[in-house]
Amino acid sequence: MKNSMALVLVLALSTAMVYSQEINKGNVSTTTTQAPTTTTTSTTTKPPTPTTTNTPTSTTTKPPTPTTTKSPASTTKPSSPSTTPKPKDETPIYAVHEHESNVTCLLLQANISVTFNYTINKTTTNVHSYIPRNASYDGQCGRKTEAIDIEFPCGNLTCSLELHFTNSSTVFNLTAANLTYIGEGFSHAASHAYTSKMYSNLGTYYNCSKGFNLTLEKGVMVKMTDVKVQAFMDDKSGKPSFGSTGMSCDSNGGGDSGTKTDAIVPIAVGAALAAMVVIVLIGYCIGRRRTMAGYQAMNS
């Protein structure tokens, strides 16, 4: 056993020496198989970079800055109109009742507008306003005088229109109109008296569809169209209505332009005609006397 192991060792040594010599001579190629190199590449998958689409910048075109041309300083600044539109509904109707008995004494139907101007701090404002259907109103009943007071907005002001009627035993007529306009820090009033306006027999109504103007003081104009009015009524029905008969402005001359329809002009014309007649008669008498005197001179 020991001899065998020694023999194996000798053979192994001999083989190793021979193999070493061959290597030195270059006859034996040595193949070195290297263990495969494992390259571990750490691949980090980055999330895709979001593509940002730039929204086109909105271009805002600014309107051109208005050029304000200042007018030369004047005593009164240009007027600024203030208009209230005409009501589109039916013609407003106003019924004045006695406060205690609720009897209707005055009935007015009309489209009414007011026109005037006023000046504050050297600025003049022109106002043209219609009285709306929902305007608040009040009135006064009486045996001799009756009135209605209508309050309404007129531009930036508050206006109050008063109409006064008088009982003249057999007829009624408008005898006065007054407009008050009130603003912040001021109040103005314009009025006018009439001797014969909007008149009709008692128990009947006054009618004027074409309308007319009431000219008050300070250039104030009150325009009324589609007018019906009956004063000094005694309607206890609770549903007041106009009488069965009426007088038209075409027949009584109540539809003029708004000046007083009194007797001044007819009286003046009549007086002028009478004076002319008197002058003609005097001239005729004087001429006749001269003629008679001439005849007498010839006869003598």
Side-chain angles (χ1 to χ4, degrees):
M1 185 68 178
K2 293 181 179 180
N3 293 332
S4 297
M5 291 179 65
L7 180 59
V8 172
L9 290 172
V10 171
L11 288 173
L13 290 172
S14 299
T15 301
M17 292 177 64
V18 173
Y19 183 72
S20 175
Q21 289 176 0
E22 289 297 328
I23 290 175
N24 293 331
K25 291 180 180 180
N27 294 330
V28 180
S29 61
T30 304
T31 303
T32 305
T33 303
Q34 296 181 351
T37 305
T38 303
T39 305
T40 305
T41 305
S42 177
T43 306
T44 304
T45 305
K46 296 182 179 180
T49 305
T51 304
T52 303
T53 305
N54 292 331
T55 306
T57 304
S58 59
T59 303
T60 304
T61 305
K62 294 182 179 180
T65 304
T67 303
T68 304
T69 305
K70 293 184 179 180
S71 57
S74 58
T75 303
T76 303
K77 295 182 180 179
S79 60
S80 55
S82 180
T83 304
T84 302
K86 180 180 180 180
K88 296 181 180 180
D89 301 329
E90 297 178 356
T91 304
I93 298 179
Y94 311 96
V96 178
H97 309 283
E98 291 183 355
H99 295 292
E100 296 180 357
S101 61
N102 203 32
V103 174
T104 302
C105 64
L106 174 62
L107 196 60
L108 171 65
Q109 173 182 304
N111 285 314
I112 308 175
S113 65
V114 296
T115 303
F116 61 93
N117 60 70
Y118 64 96
T119 302
I120 299 178
N121 297 328
K122 298 181 180 180
T123 299
T124 300
T125 301
N126 297 321
V127 178
H128 180 69
S129 296
Y130 285 89
I131 299 181
R133 285 181 57 85
N134 60 350
S136 61
Y137 66 94
D138 197 1
Q140 178 184 357
C141 299
R143 296 173 59 88
K144 290 296 183 180
T145 60
E146 292 185 342
I148 182 171
D149 182 5
I150 308 173
E151 187 174 298
F152 58 98
C154 47
N156 298 324
L157 309 178
T158 299
C159 289
S160 175
L161 176 64
E162 296 179 15
L163 300 176
H164 296 264
F165 297 88
T166 299
N167 181 350
S168 301
S169 298
T170 58
V171 298
F172 73 86
N173 63 284
L174 176 71
T175 52
N178 180 71
L179 179 70
T180 303
Y181 41 102
I182 302 172
E184 186 176 354
F186 80 98
S187 175
H188 294 290
S191 61
H192 193 81
Y194 297 89
T195 56
S196 179
K197 190 73 173 177
M198 291 173 62
Y199 58 87
S200 184
N201 295 327
L202 291 176
T204 65
Y205 62 87
Y206 169 84
N207 179 36
C208 190
S209 57
K210 67 181 180 180
F212 51 85
N213 296 333
L214 300 175
T215 304
L216 311 185
E217 301 169 335
K218 303 176 182 178
V220 175
M221 181 74 70
V222 178
K223 184 175 182 180
M224 304 178 69
T225 58
D226 301 317
V227 181
K228 268 187 178 183
V229 61
Q230 185 170 349
F232 303 97
M233 302 172 62
D234 189 22
D235 193 315
K236 303 176 183 178
S237 65
K239 296 180 179 180
S241 60
F242 295 100
S244 57
T245 59
M247 185 176 292
S248 172
C249 59
D250 296 329
S251 61
N252 67 7
D256 60 10
S257 61
T259 55
K260 290 191 298 181
T261 54
D262 50 25
I264 295 178
V265 174
I267 290 175
V269 173
L273 291 174
M276 292 178 63
V277 171
V278 171
I279 292 173
V280 170
L281 289 175
I282 292 175
Y284 174 76
C285 292
I286 294 175
R288 187 171 177 77
R289 282 187 177 183
R290 287 181 178 179
T291 302
M292 294 296 295
Y295 283 144
Q296 292 177 356
M298 291 177 62
N299 290 333
S300 61

